[in-house]
Amino acid sequence: MRLIFFVMCVVWASGVRAELQSLFPRNEVAVATAQGSLFAGAQAGLFARPERAALPTTNARFVAPRSTGSTPVDQLLSLIAEAEAGSKGYDAVQYGARIRPALPPTQMTLGDIYAWIDATPGQPHAIGRYQFIPPTLRRVAQIRGFGPETPFTPGVQDALAVVLLEDAGLSAFKAGDMDRLVFMHNLAKIWAGLPLPNGRSYYEGYAGNSASMSWAVFDGGMRAIWGV
């Protein structure tokens, strides 16, 4: 299931700017604009530096990411989460949200999250381990068949993130039909905290986006996880 991506060069309205902080497959930008919000690379620049994983040096030795499981996909999700949610993990909320949810995200349902979003317009709403913002969250939840009553548990968040991995070509990569570097490039198109080989975010400079992980660590992590 491949998607065609494009990027917006002009960001309009403060409400739109506020949402430029999260996951965005580039093909969704037009839809997000119509809904009054954009989502820029997995979590983007408004996520405060103290909240994000520290930027490793280019000579840093890869350390296996913390994972809720042992499969390669589990480890890949953990690697992405290091760049996106930092120490907050599944309970991460974008730091720019002036009005935060009443409960930690993992104690909320999707309906609770939607209600919080609707009640607090004009601020960022990136939430969870993968910093979903409203259009992305609603889309991947619909694909998974998760209704408003679904708890936003770690398992649910992981399942939602796998939809985005598939957008990047996970199945093709696992089948040997996609080169690892192409897959990594696609991942960087979705999560702005991940770097390109030059060390910069695919969305470098858009709404403050920058990579929060070095290429050496990203590349080393992928090699360690997949053995290629």
Side-chain angles (χ1 to χ4, degrees):
M1 54 188 281
R2 303 304 305 126
L3 299 177
I4 300 174
F5 295 92
F6 66 91
V7 70
M8 292 291 294
C9 294
V10 179
V11 180
W12 54 275
S14 60
V16 171
R17 275 183 198 280
E19 291 295 357
L20 268 170
Q21 310 309 325
S22 188
L23 302 169
F24 79 117
R26 296 173 71 198
N27 68 307
E28 289 190 330
V29 174
V31 175
T33 303
Q35 295 173 341
S37 66
L38 294 174
F39 33 116
Q43 137 251 304
L46 287 183
F47 203 54
R49 291 296 179 189
E51 298 277 355
R52 302 182 73 172
L55 181 64
T57 66
T58 55
N59 295 321
R61 182 170 178 268
F62 172 70
V63 177
R66 295 185 296 274
S67 176
T68 55
S70 59
T71 71
V73 170
D74 292 328
Q75 293 180 60
L76 174 57
L77 289 174
S78 290
L79 182 63
I80 292 167
E82 289 293 326
E84 293 305 316
S87 62
K88 299 297 184 182
Y90 292 101
D91 282 320
V93 176
Q94 214 278 340
Y95 95 102
R98 299 179 303 279
I99 303 174
R100 301 174 72 82
L103 296 171
T106 55
Q107 296 180 27
M108 302 172 72
T109 64
L110 288 175
D112 293 333
I113 294 171
Y114 299 153
W116 166 65
I117 291 167
D118 292 342
T120 56
Q123 68 169 18
H125 295 104
I127 192 167
R129 195 185 195 212
Y130 310 101
Q131 291 293 278
F132 300 102
I133 69 121
T136 306
L137 181 61
R138 292 178 187 274
R139 178 179 75 87
V140 295
Q142 182 179 28
I143 289 172
R144 282 294 190 187
F146 294 158
E149 74 287 352
T150 304
F152 198 55
T153 62
V156 164
Q157 293 185 42
D158 288 349
L160 295 174
V162 169
V163 176
L164 297 173
L165 294 183
E166 288 294 339
D167 287 349
L170 175 64
S171 291
F173 169 65
K174 290 172 65 178
D177 297 328
M178 178 180 288
D179 181 78
R180 177 174 61 82
L181 293 179
V182 174
F183 183 47
M184 292 173 68
H185 187 82
N186 291 344
L187 291 173
K189 287 181 179 180
I190 294 175
W191 282 283
L194 297 175
L196 297 172
N198 63 7
R200 295 162 63 87
S201 169
Y202 186 84
Y203 302 100
E204 192 78 26
Y206 287 94
N209 278 306
S210 63
S212 60
M213 175 179 289
S214 74
W215 175 257
V217 171
F218 186 26
D219 184 55
M222 291 293 286
R223 289 178 184 273
I225 293 167
W226 300 100
V228 294

